[in-house]
Amino acid sequence: MTTPRVPAPTAPGPRGAPLVGNASDLKRDLYGALRRDFGRYGDIVRYRLGPRTVHLLSHPDLAQQVLVNHAAQHPKIPAGNGLGLLLGQGLVTNDDHSSWLSQRRMMQPVFHRQRIAGMADEMARAGSRMLERWRVRYRPGDTVDVADEMMRVTLDIINRTMFGADLGLEAARIGPAIEEGTRFVNARSQSAVRLPMNWPLPAQRRFRAAKGMLDGVVARIIRERRAAGRGRGDLLDMLMEAQDADTGERMTDRQLHDEVITIFGAGHETTANALSWAWFLLARHPRVLARLQAEVDTVLGDREPGLEDLARLPYAGQVFQETLRLYPPAPVVSPRLVLQDTVLGGYAIPAGSSLLISIANIHRHPDFWENPGDFDPDRWAPGRAAKRHRLAYLPFGAGPRLCIGNNFALMEGPLLLALTARQAEFRLQPGQAVIPEQAVTLRPRGGLPMTFHPRR
Ligand code: HEM
């Protein structure tokens, strides 16, 4: 006699309201709700969002299964009505495996560590421009919106590295348009009801105007660059020259266009948020700040840092990595689809439902991190990371869709931290509340006002 197979149970989760399920609770405070429900229900939490079922996964083994081992069974959910409105069919939002793969193969070499290394000077120059602007604009003790300043500098960096010498009035219009577009997509990602894009509402109208302008400027820059036929060695050139190693194909103008906007969109807000959180954490941990300052003062003295200094500024790197652990700028990976009924962590996961992998929860999982809430850059001292689960730390995602800009960010972040820490520090007001808000990225709600204190 065969024993009947016992079906896997459904995962636990908050009950939610009739019809809408958990939608309004998640909308109110997505970051807080995902943290709280991980604490209450564990590694797998089931939500209902109207007719849809979503599972929150917060364990490195589950991330490994979905993002790495069975990535083909868990494609990205089409983002056409969200982030895709801004980024088109670029690398982040492309959900068609074969065209994504071809794009990825072309772009991978562009983001190789050695090619990115050539951009360090441009990054340091943008940092110096920022410090010079502060010197003129702020007096000691003035309040500065650190979140806003970090956005400006990372946007300046992506602009210069993308367009190099072509940077003129035209390219200067891209930044504000990207900001407008990102704001709209962020707000849309948080709203339970997504109103049609062609409705004549002020927000949709502003978005359409910004996107139209962006498309026009990027198309014109690409056209002019193709016509000029001269190489400049910037990111745009590298993308134009990129070839599929097997087929020899290059990108069409449309692909190039979407990838340029994607790199702007994906490549500045994430790093800016990481840096904002770093200044917040440093202000709350004066001993860590003092150690960082001692390192930059000893290594750099009166100089600005360059690429060759990064290896001699290990603590700046550790501070940046630990910040990415506590406040991962992408707190969840893009939702993945379940193509076939499956079982994850002992629970039944139905086909057609979606999976939300929480980087933020995994980064504070008590089974993998000692005192997970503590800001302790020494976790990243040489040798210590080797003992961890491979996916207990995944700020850049994992598997085939791993962030292509990780080397870029890991150079830019510590470089800007070191450069700024040499010249200035920021302080919080006593008792100042800073609340993380999760839209597409994790940022301080309402900005990050801090007082500015030059060091030299
Ligand atoms: C601290 C900074 C950054 C963080 C935390 C971050 C995080 C991530 C994460 C988690 C993913 C995977 C999303 C998923 O699987 O759903 C991703 C993908 C991506 N990131 Fe980043 N990112 C950062 C910086 C950058 C930069 C600087 C660039 C470009 C210059 C960039 C470009 C991209 C692109 C193009 C993808 C899509 C890759 C693909 O699907 O093939 N990112 N990023």
Side-chain angles (χ1 to χ4, degrees):
M1 209 178 77
T2 53
T3 20
R5 280 207 315 166
V6 183
T10 52
R15 267 170 72 82
L19 292 176
V20 291
N22 311 103
S24 45
D25 187 29
L26 295 185
K27 179 178 171 346
R28 203 174 309 121
D29 173 13
L30 182 59
Y31 179 76
L34 301 187
R35 295 278 311 126
R36 178 200 64 206
D37 293 337
F38 167 52
R40 276 191 194 152
Y41 302 102
D43 297 336
I44 303 193
V45 182
R46 180 170 172 273
Y47 294 111
R48 274 190 316 103
L49 301 179
R52 292 188 296 134
T53 302
V54 178
H55 285 91
L56 174 72
L57 310 182
S58 306
H59 191 287
D61 285 344
L62 298 171
Q64 172 79 29
Q65 284 186 54
V66 174
L67 298 177
V68 185
N69 301 357
H70 305 293
Q73 279 92 59
H74 302 297
K76 281 195 179 186
I77 289 183
N81 197 20
L83 200 54
L85 291 171
L86 180 65
L87 307 184
Q89 275 291 87
L91 214 52
V92 169
T93 39
N94 189 344
D95 53 279
D96 170 62
H97 182 75
S98 80
S99 66
W100 164 79
L101 186 62
S102 154
Q103 282 295 96
R104 178 88 193 199
R105 286 198 330 206
M106 279 195 244
M107 286 170 68
Q108 192 69 47
V110 173
F111 285 90
H112 190 276
R113 198 190 305 255
Q114 272 165 356
R115 295 187 89 171
I116 295 301
M119 295 168 191
D121 288 348
E122 202 62 85
M123 293 175 179
R125 275 197 291 275
S128 301
R129 277 193 296 277
M130 172 184 74
L131 293 174
E132 180 53 27
R133 192 160 41 76
W134 291 356
R135 203 182 56 76
V136 175
R137 189 162 167 193
Y138 302 124
R139 303 269 71 85
D142 275 0
T143 299
V144 174
D145 184 347
V146 173
D148 189 52
E149 289 292 345
M150 295 301 117
M151 282 302 174
R152 286 180 72 156
V153 69
T154 55
L155 199 53
D156 187 16
I157 287 175
I158 204 75
N159 223 331
R160 303 265 173 170
T161 47
M162 177 67 82
F163 297 124
D166 270 359
L167 193 84
L169 283 177
E170 280 284 80
R173 298 166 72 196
I174 293 181
I178 287 277
E179 292 292 296
E180 180 66 48
T182 311
R183 234 192 327 273
F184 178 81
V185 172
N186 276 340
R188 197 169 168 85
S189 79
Q190 288 177 311
S191 69
V193 182
R194 291 186 175 178
L195 299 173
M197 283 306 293
N198 54 5
W199 282 19
L201 301 168
Q204 338 279 86
R205 214 179 291 137
R206 272 198 310 275
F207 174 78
R208 277 199 306 273
K211 176 72 171 131
M213 207 280 295
L214 191 59
D215 286 346
V217 173
V218 171
R220 205 153 44 242
I221 293 178
I222 291 173
R223 221 172 27 241
E224 285 167 9
R225 183 71 70 96
R226 285 230 199 266
R230 275 178 289 115
R232 290 187 173 82
D234 53 24
L235 261 177
L236 178 59
D237 257 355
M238 295 185 201
L239 293 175
M240 285 173 121
E241 285 159 15
Q243 258 179 311
D244 188 313
D246 291 344
T247 63
E249 267 179 63
R250 291 181 198 258
M251 287 188 216
T252 62
D253 277 2
R254 178 79 242 167
Q255 287 170 328
L256 196 54
H257 179 279
D258 284 358
E259 296 306 359
V260 166
I261 295 178
T262 290
I263 292 168
F264 264 91
H268 91 284
E269 193 184 330
T270 39
T271 316
N273 284 326
L275 286 164
S276 300
W277 289 117
W279 293 118
F280 162 73
L281 287 164
L282 288 165
R284 299 256 298 242
H285 297 84
R287 272 207 294 251
V288 177
L289 177 64
R291 208 170 132 191
L292 175 66
Q293 289 170 339
E295 180 181 85
V296 297
D297 291 350
T298 311
V299 173
L300 301 173
D302 286 337
R303 287 183 305 113
E304 303 280 292
L307 177 68
E308 64 293 348
D309 292 308
L310 277 182
R312 285 182 276 147
L313 294 164
Y315 199 63
Q318 289 176 216
V319 167
F320 192 67
Q321 277 185 288
E322 178 68 346
T323 303
L324 293 180
R325 184 183 72 81
L326 281 177
Y327 293 98
V332 294
V333 295
S334 326
R336 301 305 209 260
L337 188 62
V338 180
L339 291 181
Q340 289 171 348
D341 286 349
T342 185
V343 174
L344 282 174
Y347 294 112
I349 310 286
S353 62
S354 33
L355 302 173
L356 212 53
I357 295 174
S358 171
I359 295 178
N361 286 345
I362 292 175
H363 282 185
R364 292 176 186 238
H365 199 304
D367 293 354
F368 299 93
W369 300 96
E370 216 173 288
N371 304 320
D374 290 2
F375 177 55
D376 175 12
D378 277 329
R379 294 180 205 272
W380 303 99
R384 285 188 60 185
K387 299 186 194 88
R388 256 170 238 134
H389 188 301
R390 236 168 50 84
L391 264 77
Y393 184 66
L394 68 167
F396 298 103
R401 309 283 311 233
L402 178 78
C403 176
I404 205 168
N406 56 357
N407 289 324
F408 192 103
L410 289 174
M411 190 166 85
E412 181 184 18
L415 205 58
L416 285 177
L417 261 188
L419 188 133
T420 311
R422 196 172 76 81
Q423 301 260 20
E425 67 178 72
F426 300 103
R427 294 182 200 145
L428 292 161
Q429 302 294 340
Q432 182 179 341
V434 177
I435 298 165
E437 175 180 60
Q438 176 171 342
V440 177
T441 55
L442 186 66
R443 54 200 176 156
R445 178 181 293 163
L448 183 59
M450 297 179 88
T451 54
F452 169 72
H453 304 273
R455 291 187 64 222
R456 40 184 95 226

